[in-house]
């Protein structure tokens, strides 16, 4: 049997021979080409290790929550090594949907009626094969909130369901109105500021599994909605804990960032077209109250919100809507343990708008900030198909809350 050391030596020897043969033509027949290649590789490796791979910054409003995370979630103290060939923010953001695998998940769909006559689609993953929690009435449950136009079929949602399944937990995905194929019954969709549908869903889930512990995880706009809900309801919230990924904390700063030329080209225009496609899909019922032709001419998310979202939810102006939708103003009122993961290079949620000072004033909230990761990216490993840094944060925190959360009962 060939030893690993010998095998590695053979590999490097073959690689060196190959490189010499490839570069010697046109480079004076010497080893100059190999030296250039190896020199560049060494320089890139040094840059990556010194400037890219770094430990995240953990900020918590109280010592108790900070220590809990250090003890129960090793990932908060470990160096985050972004995938070395795609660590840049925009590349991580753009590639994640295509690079990460989509685990197969079989959902049980439930449609529930809202007081206004609308319907909301919930996708349940019951995990009836759970060996850790065979009693379904006591099985820990995670409510998942996708991003702006996301559904239960987004790769990041499927990964969280997979992590929960491995731990023996149940999941339920809250799909916003009209996004997952169901018919829109009333001329109303959703927004980050309005939490009425979320409140109804949480009450419904808690009635359905009244003995099981429940926590929630929100991604991007789903995280904003969740944080706004926590801030509004305060001590009324019965969730065991919350984890939020890539939330936009100040909507004014988020939209301004996305209106910079490159980011407008890469993200803003595309997201605007996705929002318009969703509106156009339900044009028949929406055009009874709104000027859909005017909405379809919007070029940016801001213009879309000015013409549609702020009007639908009755705000005097778009500025009033953006102010109400910004979770940064409600962090002080959060009264359940909430861990928030953001990347400092996320163009959707710029670093200067991450609410560091507000978090320091609330012992129930903690921020985990990585240098890189983009927006819902957090890719790591040579070929990041199966798991991301975000997945590991989700897994460790949910397990910590469900299995050791009693120490978080009083964080003041």
């Amino acid at each position: 049997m060939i030893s690993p050391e010998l095998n590695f030596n053979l590999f490097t020897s073959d690689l060196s021979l190959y490189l010499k043969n490839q570069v010697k033509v046109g480079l004076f027949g010497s080893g100059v080409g190999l030296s250039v290649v190896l020199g560049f590789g060494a320089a890139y490796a040094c840059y990556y290790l010194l400037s890219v791979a770094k430990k995240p910054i953990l900020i918590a409003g109280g010592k108790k929550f900070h220590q809990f995370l250090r003890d129960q979630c090793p990932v908060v103290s470990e160096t985050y090594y972004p995938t070395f060939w795609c660590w840049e923010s925009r590349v991580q953001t753009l590639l994640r949907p295509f690079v990460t695998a989509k685990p197969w998940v079989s959902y049980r769909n439930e449609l529930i009626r809202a007081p206004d006559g609308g319907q909301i689609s919930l996708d349940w993953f019951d995990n009836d094969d759970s060996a850790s929690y065979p009693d379904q009435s006591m099985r820990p449950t995670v409510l998942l909130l996708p991003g702006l136009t996301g559904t239960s079929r987004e790769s990041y949602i499927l990964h969280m369901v997979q992590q929960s399944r491995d731990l023996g937990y149940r999941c339920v995905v809250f799909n916003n109105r009209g996004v997952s194929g169901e018919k829109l019954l009333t001329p109303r969709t959703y927004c980050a500021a309005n939490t009425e549908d979320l409140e109804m869903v949480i009450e419904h889930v808690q009635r359905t599994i009244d003995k099981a512990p429940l926590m929630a995880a929100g991604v991007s706009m789903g995280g904003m909605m969740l944080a706004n809900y926590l801030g509004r309801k305060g001590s009324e919230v019965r969730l065991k804990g919350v984890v939020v990924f890539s939330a936009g904390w100040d909507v004014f700063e988020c939209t301004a960032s996305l209106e910079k030329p490159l980011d407008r080209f890469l993200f803003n225009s595309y997201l605007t077209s996705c929002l318009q496609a969703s509106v156009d899909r339900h044009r028949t019922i929406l055009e009874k109250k709104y000027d859909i032709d005017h909405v379809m001419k919007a070029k940016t998310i801001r213009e879309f919100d000015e013409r549609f979202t702020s009007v639908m939810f009755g705000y005097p102006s778009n500025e009033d809507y953006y102010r109400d939708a910004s979770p940064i103003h409600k962090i002080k009122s959060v009264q359940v343990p909430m861990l928030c993961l953001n990347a400092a290079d996320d163009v959707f949620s710029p670093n200067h708008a991450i609410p560091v000072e507000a978090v320091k004033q609330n012992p129930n909230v903690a921020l985990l900030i990585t240098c890189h990761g983009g927006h819902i990216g957090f890719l790591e490993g040579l070929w990041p198909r199966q798991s991301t840094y975000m997945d590991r944060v989700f897994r460790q925190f949910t397990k910590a809350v469900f299995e050791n959360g009693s120490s978080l009962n009083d964080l003041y």
Side-chain angles (χ1 to χ4, degrees):
M1 180 178 180
I2 301 176
S3 68
E5 293 81 3
L6 180 58
N7 199 32
F8 178 75
N9 289 336
L10 289 172
F11 170 75
T12 53
S13 175
D14 291 343
L15 178 60
S16 297
L17 180 61
Y18 169 78
L19 289 172
K20 285 180 180 179
N21 290 334
Q22 292 296 313
V23 301
K24 65 182 181 180
V25 177
L27 287 173
F28 312 105
S30 68
V32 173
L34 176 60
S35 299
V36 170
V37 171
L38 294 179
F40 176 80
Y44 185 83
C46 288
Y47 176 78
Y48 175 86
L49 292 173
L50 293 174
S51 302
V52 178
K54 293 181 179 294
K55 289 187 176 182
I57 299 171
L58 178 63
I59 302 160
K63 293 181 179 179
K64 191 173 181 180
F65 196 13
H66 189 279
Q67 193 59 49
F68 174 85
L69 292 169
R70 293 284 187 191
D71 294 342
Q72 302 295 331
C73 305
V75 68
V76 306
S77 304
E78 297 171 357
T79 299
Y80 167 48
Y81 293 94
T83 300
F84 78 94
W85 51 269
C86 65
W87 51 264
E88 197 274 333
S89 168
R90 296 170 184 83
V91 179
Q92 284 242 343
T93 303
L94 290 168
L95 285 185
R96 180 203 50 78
F98 305 102
V99 172
T100 54
K102 286 193 172 184
W104 170 249
V105 174
S106 179
Y107 290 114
R108 172 176 61 84
N109 183 255
E110 179 185 17
L111 293 175
I112 61 175
R113 285 298 181 96
D116 71 333
Q119 64 180 355
I120 299 170
S121 174
L122 301 180
D123 283 322
W124 291 81
F125 175 73
D126 296 304
N127 202 8
D128 289 331
D129 295 328
S130 173
S132 304
Y133 299 93
D135 182 356
Q136 62 87 24
S137 67
M138 301 295 291
R139 189 173 300 142
T141 303
V142 187
L143 174 65
L144 302 176
L145 283 71
L148 184 61
T149 57
T151 71
S152 60
R153 290 297 172 187
E154 303 303 320
S155 62
Y156 56 81
I157 293 291
L158 295 173
H159 277 235
M160 287 193 280
V161 173
Q162 183 183 52
Q163 299 287 342
S164 301
R165 180 191 63 199
D166 293 345
L167 293 169
Y169 307 153
R170 169 174 45 211
C171 289
V172 54
V173 184
F174 166 35
N175 298 292
N176 287 303
R177 296 193 192 199
V179 301
S180 62
E182 78 281 6
K183 187 178 180 180
L184 202 63
L185 300 181
T186 58
R188 168 177 165 164
T189 56
Y190 58 92
C191 73
N194 189 285
T195 60
E196 293 174 353
D197 285 353
L198 176 58
E199 292 173 32
M200 188 191 72
V201 166
I202 290 175
E203 290 173 2
H204 172 77
V205 171
Q206 289 176 328
R207 284 196 305 270
T208 304
I209 52 165
D210 59 321
K211 295 180 181 179
L214 177 67
M215 64 178 296
V219 181
S220 192
M221 194 208 72
M224 296 167 64
M225 186 186 294
L226 190 53
N228 283 328
Y229 163 78
L230 296 180
R232 287 200 178 101
K233 303 301 286 185
S235 60
E236 298 177 37
V237 177
R238 293 167 51 201
L239 299 172
K240 296 294 183 183
V242 166
V243 59
V244 169
F245 301 105
S246 296
W249 296 102
D250 186 326
V251 181
F252 292 101
E253 296 296 333
C254 296
T255 51
S257 177
L258 288 173
E259 286 169 354
K260 294 176 181 178
L262 179 58
D263 298 317
R264 176 170 174 165
F265 171 74
L266 291 175
F267 306 113
N268 202 325
S269 298
Y270 171 74
L271 285 173
T272 303
S273 67
C274 289
L275 289 167
Q276 290 171 323
S278 180
V279 168
D280 194 50
R281 194 160 53 244
H282 302 288
R283 176 185 282 266
T284 303
I285 192 166
L286 291 174
E287 65 184 359
K288 295 177 182 179
K289 290 190 65 176
Y290 310 105
D291 185 351
I292 302 304
D293 289 334
H294 186 51
V295 173
M296 297 302 289
K297 293 176 183 177
K299 301 299 183 184
T300 65
I301 294 174
R302 188 193 299 270
E303 289 182 2
F304 178 88
D305 288 334
E306 288 172 346
R307 302 176 186 195
F308 185 73
T309 314
S310 62
V311 176
M312 173 176 287
F313 289 93
Y315 288 95
S317 69
N318 197 53
E319 287 71 26
D320 291 297
Y321 163 52
Y322 278 4
R323 191 172 298 108
D324 196 29
S326 299
I328 191 171
H329 304 302
K330 305 177 185 71
I331 289 177
K332 62 183 179 182
S333 302
V334 173
Q335 295 192 38
V336 299
M338 179 171 75
L339 174 62
C340 313
L341 174 65
N342 280 89
D345 64 352
D346 184 354
V347 298
F348 285 71
S349 184
N351 188 34
H352 65 269
I354 296 176
V356 173
E357 294 306 316
V359 167
K360 289 179 179 179
Q361 305 305 314
N362 189 335
N364 295 298
V365 184
L367 262 175
L368 188 64
I369 305 174
T370 59
C371 285
H372 300 278
H375 188 68
I376 330 175
F378 301 103
L379 303 176
E380 61 182 357
L382 181 62
W383 185 244
R385 288 281 293 166
Q386 303 305 322
S387 180
T388 67
Y389 182 82
M390 174 176 142
D391 296 336
R392 293 198 290 133
V393 171
F394 171 81
R395 181 187 181 102
Q396 292 182 20
F397 184 68
T398 52
K399 182 179 180 180
V401 170
F402 281 139
E403 300 181 16
N404 299 288
S406 58
S407 59
L408 296 176
N409 292 338
D410 183 13
L411 289 175
Y412 284 94

